Amino acid sequence: MATRAAIICNTNEGMRGAYSHWDGYLAGLGVKLMKHFNSQEKAVRLISEGDIAEIDDEGDVRYFKDTPWTPFAGNTWQEVATMIPHNNNIYVMINGVWHWAESTKTKLYELDSKLEEDDCIFLDTGSTTVDDVHDWISGKTGGGRDD
């Protein structure tokens, strides 16, 4: 099952955002954004390519390329977030610092503090795959995602 998220950045043209489909929770996308997209330039480049299918553990991005894309745009992060489907995971890059919010009605938290608070760390899992983790979470013994 997808854990959708909104990824939003302030730019010279205002706030711009993109949809992210897989692993939008803090321990997934939150950690990957901090590790691989840790500057304003990298964050803006990330959302400039279009809506995101997934970002792997190495920071490689797979975009949805089958439909024309225009970035979600607005004057505030809240305005942009209301345009993007998300499961209470909104990531906002403001002047080089990642933030996270559960909804447009809650405050923005600095992402690094939120990750610390939730004990989210990036682990080198060696040969463990995303499918292995999904199987472990769902109690399966076989391979493959159930989504």
Side-chain angles (χ1 to χ4, degrees):
M1 214 168 144
T3 305
R4 304 171 302 172
I7 303 175
I8 301 167
C9 300
N10 68 316
T11 70
N12 294 334
E13 295 83 35
M15 300 303 273
R16 299 293 182 263
Y19 165 79
S20 180
H21 189 71
W22 289 110
D23 301 329
Y25 48 88
L26 285 166
L29 183 58
V31 170
K32 293 171 187 176
L33 291 174
M34 289 293 292
K35 182 174 182 179
H36 301 293
F37 303 94
N38 52 7
S39 72
Q40 189 73 29
E41 296 78 26
K42 289 177 182 180
V44 170
R45 200 169 340 130
L46 172 67
I47 66 165
S48 69
E49 298 279 331
D51 288 331
I52 299 163
E54 68 180 324
I55 301 173
D56 69 18
D57 290 339
E58 286 76 42
D60 294 323
V61 182
R62 186 170 61 90
Y63 292 94
F64 290 108
K65 293 289 189 181
D66 54 349
T67 56
W69 184 79
T70 303
F72 297 96
N75 294 316
T76 66
W77 70 266
Q78 294 96 328
E79 182 182 355
V80 176
T82 61
M83 301 174 198
I84 303 171
H86 59 81
N87 292 85
N88 298 325
N89 287 293
I90 304 167
Y91 297 93
V92 185
M93 170 66 84
I94 300 174
N95 300 327
V97 178
W98 279 113
H99 297 79
W100 176 88
E102 192 171 28
S103 81
T104 58
K105 294 178 173 53
T106 60
K107 77 176 239 174
L108 280 177
Y109 297 92
E110 284 198 18
L111 182 56
D112 59 350
S113 300
K114 193 67 180 164
L115 292 173
E116 248 179 59
E117 175 185 313
D118 286 8
D119 291 326
C120 299
I121 56 171
F122 186 83
L123 298 174
D124 181 2
T125 58
S127 63
T128 303
T129 67
V130 171
D131 286 336
D132 295 332
V133 174
H134 281 266
D135 290 347
W136 177 78
I137 291 169
S138 65
K140 288 183 182 180
T141 56
R145 290 184 177 178
D146 186 25
D147 49 300

